[in-house]
Amino acid sequence: MLHFSTYIDFSQYKDVHAPGYYMHISPSECFIGAGIWHPPADALLKIRQFIADEPDLWLAARDDEAFSRWFYLDGDSLKTAPRGFDKTHPLIEDIRRKDFIGISDIAPVLIEQADLADIACDYFIAAAPLMQFLCRALRLPY
């Protein structure tokens, strides 16, 4: 059984807890991802605070036409508002997130295409609004 995963991280952190792009290929599932999975506490706080302080920027990224056509937000969330955040904030559902990742399930037939790298790049381009928001929240270059 063959499994393949790759992670592209262009940040200063150089680990899986930084914003990046991801492609997963296995017999049971194939998907492309973008964002940040299980960020450390300081990064998570910065992202949540940026959502709370700049809701229009978050909504523009989250609801971007290309992003929302190709991706859905996934990952774990808290059951209640995080400490220090207003539980009545209009974006509390997003502030409760513990992961900020966009996932796009892809058909296994795409994996067999000669232009798979170009296909993946099209997905990564569609994820740019989320990545730009996260990098801005974390004060990282994009």
Side-chain angles (χ1 to χ4, degrees):
M1 185 174 282
L2 175 67
H3 292 263
F4 169 79
S5 295
T6 186
Y7 179 75
I8 303 167
D9 167 21
F10 54 88
S11 77
Q12 67 187 13
Y13 291 120
K14 304 293 184 220
D15 70 24
V16 298
H17 299 294
Y21 297 104
Y22 183 78
M23 183 168 37
H24 178 89
I25 301 167
S26 77
S28 61
E29 64 182 342
C30 299
F31 64 89
I32 291 179
I36 187 165
W37 181 76
H38 287 22
D42 62 327
L44 181 58
L45 179 59
K46 287 178 185 176
I47 295 167
R48 288 174 170 162
Q49 193 63 58
F50 201 58
I51 291 171
D53 294 344
E54 300 288 347
D56 292 339
L57 292 178
W58 171 247
L59 290 172
R62 185 195 74 185
D63 299 340
D64 177 82
E65 184 179 339
F67 176 75
S68 58
R69 183 178 345 117
W70 293 48
F71 291 90
Y72 59 91
L73 287 174
D74 201 16
D76 297 331
S77 291
L78 296 172
K79 293 181 181 186
T80 61
R83 186 175 304 135
F85 288 89
D86 179 0
K87 65 181 177 182
T88 65
H89 191 286
L91 295 175
I92 197 62
E93 294 298 316
D94 290 319
I95 292 169
R96 288 180 25 214
R97 292 184 172 283
K98 297 194 295 186
D99 302 310
F100 294 88
I101 51 175
I103 298 292
S104 186
D105 299 313
I106 56 175
V109 69
L110 289 178
I111 304 308
E112 301 169 5
Q113 302 300 312
D115 61 345
L116 176 60
D118 293 331
I119 293 168
C121 285
D122 289 342
Y123 280 86
F124 296 154
I125 290 167
L130 175 66
M131 293 296 291
Q132 289 169 341
F133 178 88
L134 294 172
C135 287
R136 189 167 175 190
L138 297 172
R139 295 181 174 83
L140 298 172
Y142 175 76

